Amino acid sequence: GLDPVQVSSFRTHLSQSTRIVTIIGAGLSASSGLPTFRDINGLWCNHDVFLIASPAGFRRDPGLVWQFYSERRRAALRAGPNPAHYALVNLAKAKPGFVALSQNVDGLLQRAGLDENPKQLKLLHGNLFDLACAGNCGYVDYDNFVDPLCEVLSEGRVRASVMGADVAEGEKPPKASALLFEGIAKKNKKILGEEKFAEAAPTARDAAPLTELGQEVRVPEAAPELYSGIEKAELPQCPGCGENLLRPRVVWFGEALPEDVMEDVDALFKEEKVDLAIVVGTSSQVWPAAGFCEEARGRGAKVAWVNMSEKDCKNAKKEDWVFLGDAAVILPEILN
Ligand code: BV8
C-alpha cells in the first residue's frame, strides 16, 4: 500500500489547491487493457515506429499506417475507462481549476465524462476518433467511431497484415520486423535478460535514432515484406477535397502539436500560478509534453508522480510525492 504520511500530506495540499495540472500518458489506460508504447511488448516494441507514426511512413505505405491505427481504434472502442479515469473526472468536477494535459489518443477520459468541459482537457497528441484530410484541405471528421472504416481495415486482415504480410487462416503471422528505439531495446534486454528478450521482442534491429526536432524523419527502406499491399483507393478518402486520403488526427513524430492546444498550454504556464502538478503513467520521453512538469514547477507547483515504475519518475525531486503502482488503484485512493 501507499505510505499514509505521503498520502495525507498530498491530500492536505490537494484540498488547498485550485489550479491543478495533470500530465497524462498511456499508463493511465493500461488497466483498461490498452498497451502502452515503451513497456515490454508495448506498441513501439512490436511495430516499426518510423513506418507507422511519421508523415514519411504514411506517404510510404498509408495502408500499413491505417491498419495500425484501425487496430488501435478497435481496441479503444472495446475498452472502457478504468477507476483512474473516473477519479480524474471527479476531481475535475470538484475543482474548476483542474486541467488534464493528455498525450493519450484513446478517448477514454472523454468517455469517463471529462469532455463535457473542454477547457479541462487538452489533447496534446490528437485523437484516434477524429479523422483529417491527409492533404490538409481543412476537412475534419470529429468523433468518428465507425469500425471498420472500410473493408481492408476489417479485423481479420488488419492483424495479419500489420505484421507485413497476409498469412493463411490459423498460421502464425511472421515476426514483425521491429525497429526499436535503442533505449527501449536496451531497457527491455536489461529487464528480461538476453534469451527472454529475444523471444519477447521479435527481430529487433538497432533503431535509427529520431532525427532532430522538426527535421524529416528518415524512413529506412525496411524489408519489402513490410508493405501492406493495400491500394490507396481501398483506404478512407477525404470527402472535402476528393483528392487525398483521410488520416487519423494524431500527432506523428516530427509533427507539431495542435496550434490551439499549444497556445492554451503556453497561456496556462504564462498567466498564473500552478498549485499542483500530477504526472500520471508517462515515461516522460516525448517532447514537448515531457517538459510540462518542469514548466508547472516553475509556476510554483508541487509535483506528484503516479507510475508503475520508479525509473520513469526520473525527474522527481526529493520534495515530490512519488506513488508507485497501478494508476487505477492509486488515483482513486489519493484523489477521492
Ligand atoms: C514536435 C503518435 C516539433 C500518436 C507519438 C525536443 C523538443 C521537441 C521535440 C523533440 C525534441 N527532441 C526530439 C524531438 C522529436 C520528438 C521526440 O520527443 N522524440 C523523443 C522520443 C526523443 N517529438 C516530436 O516529434 C513531437 N513533435 O515536437 O514537433 C515541431 C515544431 C514545429 C514544426 C514541426 C515540428 C511529436 C510528439 C508526438 C509523437 N507521437 N505517437 C499515437 O500513435 O498515439 S509518440 C507516443 O509517445 C504517443 O504519442 C504517446 O502519447 C507518447 C508518450 O508515451 P507515454 O504515454 O509516456 O507512454 P510510454 O509507453 O512511453 O510510458 C508509459 C508509462 O506508464 C511508463 O512510465 C510505465 O511505467 C507507466 N505505466 C504502465 N502501466 C501503468 C503505468 N503507470 C501507472 N499505472 C499503470 N498501470
Side-chain angles (χ1 to χ4, degrees):
L2 300 176
D3 168 2
V5 173
Q6 280 236 27
V7 175
S8 70
S9 78
F10 171 81
R11 292 179 66 83
T12 305
H13 186 70
L14 176 68
S15 64
Q16 296 156 353
S17 297
T18 44
R19 176 53 96 182
I20 301 168
V21 175
T22 57
I23 298 156
I24 286 161
L28 182 78
S29 300
S31 279
S32 297
L34 296 183
T36 62
F37 292 88
R38 297 171 182 85
D39 289 315
I40 291 175
N41 284 332
L43 288 166
W44 289 167
C45 295
N46 298 312
H47 293 85
D48 185 325
V49 64
F50 297 100
L51 302 189
I52 50 169
S54 78
F58 188 75
R59 280 194 296 278
R60 170 189 174 279
D61 183 356
L64 191 70
V65 175
W66 258 120
Q67 290 184 333
F68 174 70
Y69 281 97
S70 182
E71 190 153 339
R72 295 206 27 223
R73 285 166 55 95
R74 187 163 300 130
L77 286 170
R78 289 178 178 165
N82 67 55
H85 294 101
Y86 290 112
L88 289 170
V89 172
N90 293 338
L91 181 61
K93 288 190 167 68
K95 300 272 184 178
F98 171 99
V99 63
L101 308 182
S102 178
Q103 301 172 94
N104 295 349
V105 296
D106 57 32
L108 291 184
L109 268 173
Q110 296 94 308
R111 280 168 51 194
L114 197 49
D115 206 27
E116 281 136 32
N117 177 350
K119 281 198 309 295
Q120 291 188 307
L121 173 61
K122 301 295 169 199
L123 296 179
L124 303 170
H125 294 165
N127 182 349
L128 285 171
F129 300 103
D130 291 344
L131 310 181
C133 175
N136 286 319
C137 84
Y139 176 85
V140 180
D141 180 4
Y142 292 100
D143 293 336
N144 174 311
F145 300 105
V146 172
D147 180 44
L149 279 165
C150 54
E151 196 281 325
V152 287
L153 298 180
S154 51
E155 182 149 18
R157 283 174 52 82
V158 169
R159 177 166 299 287
S161 319
V162 160
M163 294 296 190
D166 276 340
V167 288
E169 196 54 43
E171 248 182 54
K172 258 178 79 63
K175 283 189 183 265
S177 117
L179 237 188
L180 294 175
F181 283 110
E182 273 160 22
I184 294 172
K186 279 196 195 100
K187 186 169 81 172
N188 288 352
K189 204 173 284 183
K190 204 161 68 196
I191 297 168
L192 288 172
E194 286 294 332
E195 62 292 335
K196 279 185 68 187
F197 172 78
E199 69 208 28
T203 55
R205 298 192 304 275
D206 285 342
L210 269 185
T211 59
E212 272 320 298
L213 172 63
Q215 285 170 18
E216 189 64 0
V217 173
R218 274 173 296 107
V219 174
E221 269 321 297
E225 83 275 3
L226 256 186
Y227 279 87
S228 65
I230 292 176
E231 298 300 325
K232 281 189 174 180
E234 300 174 283
L235 292 169
Q237 310 291 319
C238 174
C241 63
E243 285 157 24
N244 294 289
L245 295 178
L246 286 177
R247 60 168 280 183
R249 198 165 184 253
V250 298
V251 180
W252 284 326
F253 280 106
E255 294 190 315
L257 276 61
E259 214 170 302
D260 56 333
V261 168
M262 285 314 285
E263 277 162 16
D264 291 352
V265 170
D266 290 346
L268 173 76
F269 289 132
K270 288 266 175 322
E271 86 207 7
E272 61 180 284
K273 212 171 87 56
V274 177
D275 301 305
L276 174 64
I278 310 175
V279 187
V280 183
T282 179
S283 63
S284 302
Q285 289 184 40
V286 174
W287 294 81
F292 291 167
C293 173
E294 288 318 307
E295 298 256 4
R297 208 192 287 277
R299 307 301 301 162
K302 281 181 172 292
V303 182
W305 304 78
V306 176
N307 200 303
M308 192 63 106
S309 69
E310 189 154 24
K311 63 186 176 339
D312 283 346
C313 305
K314 55 188 177 296
N315 306 330
K317 304 225 182 326
K318 66 184 179 327
E319 68 272 16
D320 295 352
W321 294 279
V322 177
F323 299 112
L324 296 180
D326 179 358
V329 172
I330 292 175
L331 282 185
E333 192 172 324
I334 65 172
L335 297 184
N336 292 341

